[in-house]
């Protein structure tokens, strides 16, 4: 899975964009970039290439190395390493090290035997020949695994100069789609119906046979650098997978019909792997915008704007409702309450003022609520900062796994706000078991996520998938949690308990007030169900693209849209919760704490329902392991989303209740 920010190509002129921002960190960045020819982040600096024998220019390479990543499929959640399918491999070079985000997403980048001299065309070059004998159990297992890969349409993911090698083909309405992957082969059924990529060639007509793409035509596009240092820069790498019999194995000439393997084949079987490469100068494409041709083949922008407009209409509607309550109803209420002179007038009154002596009464299960709010605050800040950096383009596709690494590191470092918020709220709820509160904040929600993740990892280990996290990485994550996050949570909790409790604007009565019989729509459950509908309505279109990027291995690059939707979601959750909170207080029901958390948190239940619908209507995932993995990871996302939205609702309602009771006179 690759994440891409469309804004990242403007990093080179970041100083110009940020000139008007009155923030010290950006001034520092601007100073750096103003003195440099271009400002590039680590991993984003362009590489120059020269023809062999002309590499006297400093830092100019003449050999182009092709790297291979893990193989994945839309029909399976299980990715596999390149070597699992017994393709031609490179054993002499050291494989590049992966960051935490790459490991979590199952990316395994390895060197390959495909190497080219810059601007030197090559035709039908032999890479290797694999020989199998199905009478040998080891060879039979390899052939069966290769067949399974073709049956489930597993896709290669190759990388040249930190850029995906793409397979571009025509789709409906004359449009061209550029896929950052290409299939290892395809299958023609016993009835003669071609599946998946077999439809591209009419010669793939042998019944009950697997066709292997054992040859690739690679076209590398480059442009010559004129104003900066001499050399060329690669701007695109495109591939066309083909299948050739190659009768002459020692000196293949890419002739003969397509290479196929009968499903019931017994005996020896050879697969010769070859490639051709050619170079094409293209000065129209700049290095900084070389991803655009991939993204432009994904026509999602119109749908995104529809999504944003849809969300903004909901926000305007809710804002209008909240403004009406605040400016008209509340203003009139407060004026009327403050003008009351006699006790008799007060006894005749009804509405939210009557519950002033109970509105700040500590909620039941205050310990659990405070722990949830601490974890929710941690997730909220993590999400905001990650999306902010993604919008600026710092988490670009050249830095593979940067998005996930950033999120995990931020979560670990944000233990202090989690401990502080949980401790401060627990103290204001009148709680005294501070040790239990600190331990639950540090271990409850992260522990549930880790336990789910560990079970999923066991399944991946059992299936031999590349997404299975190595034992060393698992230990490293536990070390981050126990050695950094937990101590930071304890520090936050220490300051939270040390600080005086939150002062409420009104005193709480000793005897709880009787709550009158509630009508259907002011009862807790209907209100909670209604509260989650509007926030979900704001995000469900964006949710489709996010789920596509995770499960259908499509690129997600619209972080500008996502950040806007994030802001809209925060506003919608806040306003919907405040609206329902006001109605419940008017009905003299003062149990608002848990209800406000659950009202906006119920958005996560709608997310879960949508994820189930997405699984059955959009995905072709088969197999028990893949199904368990899908729902296991979805449960983690739903829990995180529940804490995130619930925290927004609680704090919005807390602010609202504090505000309205602070401006009303109480005897």
């Amino acid at each position: 899975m690759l994440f891409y920010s469309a804004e990242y190509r403007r990093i080179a002129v970041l100083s110009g964009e940020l000139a008007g921002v009155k923030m010290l960190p950006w001034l520092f960045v601007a100073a750096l970039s103003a003195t440099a020819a271009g400002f590039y982040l680590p991993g984003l600096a362009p590489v120059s290439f020269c023809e062999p024998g002309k590499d006297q220019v400093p830092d100019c390479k003449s050999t182009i190395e092709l790297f291979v990543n893990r193989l994945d499929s839309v029909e399976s959640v299980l990715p596999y390493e390149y070597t699992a399918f017994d393709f031609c491999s490179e054993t002499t070079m050291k494989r590049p090290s992966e960051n935490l985000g790459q490991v979590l997403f199952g990316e395994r980048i390895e060197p390959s035997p495909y190497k080219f001299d810059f601007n030197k065309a090559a035709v039908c070059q032999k890479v290797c020949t694999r020989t199998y004998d199905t009478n040998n159990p080891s060879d039979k297992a390899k052939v069966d695994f290769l067949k399974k890969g073709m049956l489930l349409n597993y896709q290669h993911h190759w990388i040249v100069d930190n850029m995906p090698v793409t397979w571009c083909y025509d789709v409906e309405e004359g449009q061209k789609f550029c896929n950052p992957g290409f299939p290892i082969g395809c299958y023609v059924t016993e009835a003669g119906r071609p599946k998946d990529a077999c439809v591209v060639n009419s010669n793939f007509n042998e019944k009950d046979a697997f066709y292997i793409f054992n040859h690739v035509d690679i076209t590398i596009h480059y442009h010559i650098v004129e104003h900066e240092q001499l050399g060329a820069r690669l701007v695109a790498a495109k591939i066309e997978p083909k299948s050739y019999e190659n009768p002459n194995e020692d000196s293949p000439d890419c002739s003969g019909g397509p290479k196929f393997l009968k499903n019931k084949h017994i005996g020896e079987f050879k697969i010769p792997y070859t490639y051709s490469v050619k170079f094409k100068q293209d000065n129209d494409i700049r290095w900084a915008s070389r991803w655009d041709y991939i993204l432009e083949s994904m026509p999602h922008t119109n749908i995104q704007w529809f999504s944003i407009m849809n969300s903004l209409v909901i926000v305007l509607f809710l804002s209008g409702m909240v403004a009406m309550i605040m400016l008209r109803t509340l203003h009139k209420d407060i004026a009327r309450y403050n003008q009351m002179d006699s006790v008799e007038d007060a006894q005749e009154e009804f509405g939210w003022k009557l519950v002033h002596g109970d509105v700040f009464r500590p909620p039941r299960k205050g310990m659990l609520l405070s722990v949830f709010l601490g974890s929710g605050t941690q997730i909220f800040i993590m999400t905001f900062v990650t999306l902010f950096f993604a919008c600026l383009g710092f988490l670009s596709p050249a830095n593979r796994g940067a998005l996930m690494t950033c999120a995990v590191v931020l979560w670990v470092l944000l233990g202090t706000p989690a401990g502080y918020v949980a401790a401060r709220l627990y103290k204001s709820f009148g709680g005294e078991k501070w040790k239990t509160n600190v331990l639950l904040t540090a271990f409850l929600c992260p522990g549930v996520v880790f336990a789910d993740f560990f079970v999923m990892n066991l399944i991946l280990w059992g299936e031999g998938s590349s997404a299975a996290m190595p034992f060393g990485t698992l230990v490293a994550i536990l070390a981050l949690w126990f050695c950094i996050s937990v101590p930071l949570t304890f520090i936050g909790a220490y300051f939270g308990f040390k600080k005086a409790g939150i002062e409420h604007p009104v005193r709480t009565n000793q005897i709880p007030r009787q709550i009158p019989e509630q009508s259907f729509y002011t009862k807790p459950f209907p209100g909670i169900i209604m509260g989650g509908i509007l926030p979900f309505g704001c995000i469900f279109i964006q949710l489709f693209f996010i789920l596509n990027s995770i499960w259908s291995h499509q690129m997600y690059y619209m972080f500008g849209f996502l950040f806007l939707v994030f802001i809209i979601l925060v506003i919608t959750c806040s306003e919907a919760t405040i609206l329902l909170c006001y109605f419940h207080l008017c009905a003299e029901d003062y149990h608002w704490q848990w209800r406000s958390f659950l009202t906006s948190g119920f958005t996560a239940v709608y997310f879960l329902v949508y994820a189930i619908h997405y699984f059955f209507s959009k995905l072709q995932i088969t197999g028990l392991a893949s199904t368990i993995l899908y729902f296991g990871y979805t449960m983690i996302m739903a829990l995180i989303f529940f804490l995130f939205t619930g925290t927004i609702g609680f704090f919005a309602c807390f602010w609202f209740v504090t505000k309205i009771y602070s401006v009303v006179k109480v005897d």
Side-chain angles (χ1 to χ4, degrees), residues 162-183:
N162 226 356
M163 184 177 56
V165 178
T166 56
W167 177 34
C168 296
Y169 51 88
D170 293 324
V171 288
E172 69 272 359
E173 297 176 9
Q175 291 183 321
K176 193 176 277 290
F177 176 69
C178 290
N179 182 8
F182 65 95

Side-chain angles (χ1 to χ4, degrees), residues 3 41-44 99 102 162 394-403:
F3 291 89
L41 295 170
L44 290 183
N99 59 37
Q102 287 175 290
N162 226 356
F394 287 101
L395 309 178
S396 79
N399 274 335
R400 286 179 168 78
L403 189 88

Side-chain angles (χ1 to χ4, degrees), residues 46 48 76 147 182 187 224 251 308 318 326 336 361 387 441 473 482 513 558:
S48 294
S76 173
K147 285 181 187 175
F182 65 95
Y187 176 61
I224 303 292
S251 55
I308 298 292
L318 277 175
M326 290 286 201
R336 191 167 73 249
R361 191 175 297 285
L387 285 178
T441 306
T473 311
F482 284 99
R513 182 184 177 83
M558 294 166 284

Side-chain angles (χ1 to χ4, degrees), residues 525-544:
F525 201 59
I528 288 167
I529 292 172
M530 286 188 292
I533 293 172
L534 290 172
F536 179 75
C538 291
I539 61 161
F540 81 97
I541 295 177
Q542 198 67 232
L543 206 57
F544 170 76

